[in-house]
Amino acid sequence: MTTAGTGQAEADRGEKGGVRTALAGLTTRGRSFLAAGVAAAVCSYVLGQADLLRVGLLLAVLPLVCATVLYRTRYRVAGSRRLSPARVPAGSEARVHLRMDNVSRLPTGLLMLQDRVPYVLGPRPRFVLDRVEAGGRREVSYRVRSDLRGRYPLGPLQLRLTDPFGMCELTRSFSTYDTLTVIPRVEPLAPVRLSGEAKGYGDGRQRSLALAGEDDVIPRGYRYGDDLRRVHWRSTARYGELMVRREEQPQRARCTVLLDTRGIAYEGAGPDSAFEWAVAGAASVLVHMLERGFSVRLLTDTGNAVPGEGGDGFAGASQESADAAGLMMDTLAVIDHSDGAGLSRAYDVIRSGNEGLLVAFLGDLDEEQAAVVARMRQRSGGAVAFVLDSGAWTREPSDVPGPLDGSEEWLRLLREAGWTVLGVPRGASLDELWRHADRERRGVAAASGGEGR
């Protein structure tokens, strides 16, 4: 939950433009009374009826007096907004809590509260608040829901002041607003291994290195406080100074999630489009792997990665997993199609990285891009690709995932390079495809004689 900053709305008392502001706040009823009063005054002059003049003056003065009193009324009202939650999956509801505090010494009159929300979140909420005593408060709430991911501003809050006769209505706005983040839907995935021949990949904690890297093979110099039992005597004799072994630093298994965002690789739009399925799939895999203790990186075809705790873009220690997941979900909430035509930038990033699991969500591929994806397998311990063919998404969904028409050659190229490849039909369940990928990998491993186990 997040709490918005508190803002205050107060009736202005500026003299310049005050009359114009007050008259602009006249309602239809107030304007009608004013027009009727002027008409009655003119008729009384023409007809010579003094009583009609008094009626006309009463009708004309009443809305003017109401506007003047309302404009000069000094209300000091503080408002706050609280979102619960501030980050919500697409298709789910969030509740917005509004709180109004009368911080003045005078009670308020009738207040009309209105919050400004984007059209995609639903109708604009309006509330009528009765008289708020001095030092009192009122709390109201409303719900918002969006099937489209994104970041949506809420506010600013508007307060409408009205007189008891409904002759005049003035609006005061608060300065603060909140942002509701609608993230992609996250589908729970089965805890399959998908390991096999994948070096550096497994249960997430079972694989560790005795040393942190190649540089750690050479012992370092002795520092005050080091345990003497860690002294490396051979190196000490070699370098002529006291040397100690470095502490063992287990290396967490890594996973890179590659999301193809090329605009030319997808067709259609909306919550049921292929691109939205790919975004939701990437989000599900990221959350799943973080929960299993992996160091995770989100990579796009542009070569941009969401930075983690480490300098290489991977999410860091387990206690930071929630923050890393939130950062990646915020990125996926606003991610859109790129103008790129290839995946070479992503390949450059993967080529310079360390081995680990690579999970890719790809759109339409041609011969050149299929070759680039095939080379990515060389720097990964294991690779799984979910390919979304635009032609398949224009047909009826299939219950059993299988080869995609017109893409068998490129899919075969990826399989020969060592990828586990699955075509994604429209409306497919990622969890079922996830399990299917594990079964396919196990079948390949069994056919090769259990190599890599």
Side-chain angles (χ1 to χ4, degrees):
M1 296 183 182
T2 61
T3 303
T6 300
Q8 290 188 354
E10 182 176 332
D12 297 329
R13 279 188 150 181
E15 296 296 335
K16 185 178 181 179
V19 176
R20 181 181 301 177
T21 302
L23 293 179
L26 289 176
T27 62
T28 303
R29 179 184 299 177
R31 296 176 185 273
S32 300
F33 268 66
L34 182 60
V38 173
V42 173
C43 292
S44 68
Y45 176 78
V46 174
L47 300 177
Q49 296 291 332
D51 294 336
L52 186 58
L53 177 61
R54 287 192 290 269
V55 174
L57 292 177
L58 177 62
L59 294 176
V61 169
L62 181 59
L64 297 178
V65 172
C66 291
T68 303
V69 172
L70 183 64
Y71 182 78
R72 297 183 63 85
T73 298
R74 190 177 181 86
Y75 288 150
R76 297 188 62 203
V77 181
S80 62
R81 181 189 298 103
R82 178 168 55 89
L83 304 182
S84 176
R87 185 187 292 117
V88 61
S92 300
E93 291 185 345
R95 183 168 289 275
V96 183
H97 302 268
L98 303 178
R99 173 176 169 176
M100 304 298 300
D101 294 89
N102 183 10
V103 296
S104 65
R105 298 181 179 180
L106 299 175
T108 68
L110 188 66
L111 302 179
M112 296 181 63
L113 192 63
Q114 176 177 279
D115 205 6
R116 301 182 64 180
V117 300
Y119 175 78
V120 69
L121 296 182
R124 182 170 297 181
R126 294 180 175 88
F127 305 94
V128 177
L129 304 181
D130 294 333
R131 177 179 177 273
V132 182
E133 64 279 4
R137 69 181 182 186
R138 297 290 185 272
E139 295 184 2
V140 293
S141 65
Y142 63 93
R143 295 177 296 180
V144 291
R145 180 181 181 273
S146 174
D147 292 328
L148 299 176
R149 55 185 176 81
R151 303 188 68 184
Y152 303 100
L154 301 179
L157 197 63
Q158 292 182 336
L159 193 64
R160 293 186 178 182
L161 311 177
T162 60
D163 64 280
F165 300 101
M167 298 291 180
C168 184
E169 181 179 277
L170 298 180
T171 301
R172 297 291 180 261
S173 296
F174 293 86
S175 59
T176 58
Y177 66 93
D178 259 349
T179 300
L180 175 67
T181 303
V182 180
I183 62 176
R185 295 184 181 93
V186 175
E187 183 177 352
L189 301 179
V192 299
R193 291 189 59 185
L194 287 176
S195 52
E197 70 280 5
K199 293 183 291 184
Y201 174 68
D203 189 48
R205 295 181 177 85
Q206 65 184 13
R207 290 184 177 269
S208 62
L209 300 179
L211 301 176
E214 295 180 358
D215 295 337
D216 292 339
V217 174
I218 302 177
R220 61 171 175 81
Y222 175 82
R223 299 173 186 170
Y224 178 77
D226 286 338
D227 191 348
L228 293 178
R229 290 176 295 181
R230 295 172 47 217
V231 174
H232 195 270
W233 298 109
R234 181 178 300 178
S235 299
T236 299
R238 178 180 178 182
Y239 292 101
E241 61 176 318
L242 200 60
M243 306 291 291
V244 297
R245 296 187 301 272
R246 294 179 184 266
E247 294 181 354
E248 295 184 354
Q249 300 178 2
Q251 179 173 320
R252 305 172 74 211
R254 291 181 169 183
C255 174
T256 298
V257 178
L258 172 61
L259 176 61
D260 183 7
T261 63
R262 297 173 298 145
I264 61 175
Y266 299 94
E267 294 181 4
D272 296 328
S273 63
F275 180 68
E276 292 300 324
W277 192 98
V279 173
S284 301
V285 173
L286 287 170
V287 173
H288 176 72
M289 303 311 290
L290 281 172
E291 291 176 348
R292 295 187 62 192
F294 279 69
S295 293
V296 179
R297 173 177 60 182
L298 172 62
L299 183 65
T300 65
D301 58 286
T302 61
N304 297 326
V306 178
E309 294 296 322
D312 52 5
F314 284 88
S318 58
Q319 59 267 23
E320 303 294 339
S321 295
D323 295 336
L327 181 60
M328 294 178 183
M329 291 299 104
D330 289 344
T331 301
L332 290 176
V334 296
I335 200 168
D336 201 356
H337 292 293
S338 68
D339 297 330
L343 300 167
S344 57
R345 293 184 180 178
Y347 170 70
D348 294 337
V349 175
I350 295 176
R351 182 178 58 180
S352 60
N354 297 327
E355 295 179 344
L357 176 67
L358 175 60
V359 181
F361 292 86
L362 307 171
D364 290 336
L365 298 175
D366 54 21
E367 181 179 3
E368 179 182 358
Q369 301 313 316
V372 173
V373 175
R375 291 196 299 269
M376 294 180 183
R377 177 64 178 85
Q378 300 173 2
R379 295 297 300 170
S380 61
V384 180
F386 299 94
V387 183
L388 295 90
D389 185 89
S390 298
W393 279 76
T394 58
R395 298 190 299 268
E396 292 297 325
S398 175
D399 296 334
V400 181
L404 303 179
D405 296 339
S407 303
E408 293 87 349
E409 182 178 352
W410 317 138
L411 299 185
R412 182 168 56 253
L413 176 63
L414 298 184
R415 291 191 177 96
E416 292 176 353
W419 282 83
T420 300
V421 185
L422 290 102
V424 181
R426 187 178 63 181
S429 169
L430 177 61
D431 182 57
E432 295 180 2
L433 294 176
W434 188 254
R435 297 172 185 267
H436 187 81
D438 180 58
R439 292 193 298 268
E440 183 173 317
R441 181 210 55 80
R442 291 174 182 268
V444 173
S448 61
E451 182 181 354
R453 288 184 179 274

